[in-house]
Amino acid sequence: MSEVISFRLDRNNPREGQAMAVLRKGQEAGYSLRHILTEALLALEASAEDEQQVLAALAEVSRRMEQIRDALESLKQVNMVPVQMHDDHPIQAALAESFLFSVKNAAKPGVRIGAE
């Protein structure tokens, strides 16, 4: 069963005048007043839901940023000494030359595959 909804728009009120222009434009395009108002109300509800989702996402981002800030503050309070490289010593071989020489002398030839 349909329900009658009735209201007035004042042309002197800027928002209501703008609403009347939108209604006229929709009617000129062939839409009924009922269709225009139904679509407008549904769009209004959808935008309110989108706004709630955006607000929830912003609250989550804010909460995460607070966690990051707390973590950074705790890192600032830790006494850490930066590691510095000393360039005054040349890089030495990982194994001593005498060790490498003794391994070469003790090594026995292995199995060969193919002709070399």
Side-chain angles (χ1 to χ4, degrees):
M1 181 171 177
S2 296
E3 186 175 332
V4 175
I5 299 172
S6 177
F7 60 93
R8 294 175 185 259
L9 294 176
D10 183 4
R11 291 180 192 164
N12 296 326
N13 180 321
R15 303 256 317 148
E16 291 180 11
Q18 185 179 3
M20 287 177 65
V22 170
L23 286 173
R24 276 194 217 101
K25 187 186 284 185
Q27 287 176 323
E28 289 171 0
Y31 296 105
S32 69
L33 182 59
R34 180 179 187 166
H35 176 81
I36 297 166
L37 292 176
T38 301
E39 292 300 316
L41 290 170
L42 293 174
L44 179 63
E45 182 181 33
S47 71
E49 289 172 0
D50 289 345
E51 185 177 331
Q52 291 300 319
Q53 290 175 350
V54 167
L55 290 175
L58 287 175
E60 177 66 16
V61 168
S62 178
R63 187 179 68 77
R64 298 286 176 122
M65 291 295 290
E66 189 66 32
Q67 289 175 342
I68 291 169
R69 188 177 316 132
D70 291 345
L72 288 174
E73 285 299 320
S74 66
L75 281 175
K76 282 182 183 178
Q77 295 174 5
V78 174
N79 267 346
M80 289 193 279
V81 178
V83 176
Q84 296 179 355
M85 297 297 292
H86 297 288
D87 291 334
D88 51 339
H89 299 292
I91 297 175
Q92 297 178 356
L95 301 173
E97 285 294 323
S98 59
F99 175 79
L100 292 175
F101 181 73
S102 65
V103 169
K104 285 180 186 177
N105 287 337
K108 296 182 180 174
V111 177
R112 293 187 183 186
I113 299 175
E116 288 188 12

